[in-house]
């Protein structure tokens, strides 16, 4: 019985790390796609910021409840950020299952494109949430900071 519990605990840890790894790979994929767009127009690349990653994960879960730049508690979307920096921005999207489809959606929207290509931004956080029993299933967030 003790060996069985040890194996169950190990499997649980592996499953949890795979979920975190999948979320991290989404962030890296979005970052690479965004930086390719920025390079195309001569704008410096963004880097992932750990605190923005955490804030973006929170926002992605909130989008399942309320797809809006306003948080479910009624506050501004930027209140999720501990350190806003001099400039900040948020892109949200829903419905697409892949990073490439989502970045393409953002690039085809003037306001979202402006955030992605804004030379004042230096850091990025990417959040993703999936909820089977929701309207759009896939929810994406980018938080930018300059």
């Amino acid at each position: 019985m003790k060996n069985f519990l040890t194996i169950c605990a190990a499997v649980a840890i592996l499953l949890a790390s795979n979920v975190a790894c999948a979320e991290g790979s989404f962030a890296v994929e979005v970052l690479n796609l965004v930086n390719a767009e920025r390079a195309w127009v001569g704008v410096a690349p963004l880097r992932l910021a750990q605190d923005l990653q955490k804030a973006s994960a929170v926002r992605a879960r909130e989008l399942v409840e309320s797809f809006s730049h306003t948080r479910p508690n009624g506050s501004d979307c930027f209140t999720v950020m501990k350190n806003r920096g001099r400039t900040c921005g948020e892109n949200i999207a829903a419905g697409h299952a892949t990073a490439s489809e989502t970045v393409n959606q953002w690039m085809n929207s003037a306001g979202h494109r402006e955030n992605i290509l804004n030379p004042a931004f230096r850091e990025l956080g990417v959040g993703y949430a999936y909820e089977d029993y929701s309207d759009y299933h896939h929810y994406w967030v980018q938080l930018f900071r300059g």
Side-chain angles (χ1 to χ4, degrees), residues 19-138:
V19 168
C21 193
E23 290 171 0
S25 66
F26 279 138
V28 170
E29 187 175 356
V30 168
L31 176 71
N32 289 337
L33 291 165
V34 164
N35 281 338
E37 295 290 347
R38 289 172 68 91
W40 184 254
V41 296
V43 177
L46 298 171
R47 69 173 188 84
L48 290 179
Q50 201 58 33
D51 64 319
L52 292 181
Q53 285 293 102
K54 290 178 184 175
S56 295
V58 169
R59 286 291 295 135
R61 291 302 313 157
E62 289 177 350
L63 292 180
V64 174
E65 183 179 334
S66 174
F67 187 74
S68 170
H69 290 289
T70 301
R71 298 182 72 190
N73 67 6
S75 66
D76 180 88
C77 63
F78 301 118
T79 61
V80 74
M81 299 167 70
K82 301 280 189 242
N83 176 10
R84 294 186 193 188
R86 285 178 267 137
T87 59
C88 54
E90 180 186 66
N91 284 350
I92 62 175
H96 290 293
T98 69
S100 62
E101 290 173 314
T102 303
V103 171
N104 188 51
Q105 177 184 4
W106 283 325
M107 289 303 292
N108 287 311
S109 163
H112 296 106
R113 179 184 181 87
E114 185 178 322
N115 277 340
I116 288 171
L117 301 179
N118 187 334
F121 295 140
R122 299 285 182 231
E123 297 177 304
L124 178 68
V126 179
Y128 170 79
Y130 176 82
E131 181 56 57
D132 197 33
Y133 302 103
S134 66
D135 291 337
Y136 301 106
H137 307 295
H138 304 274

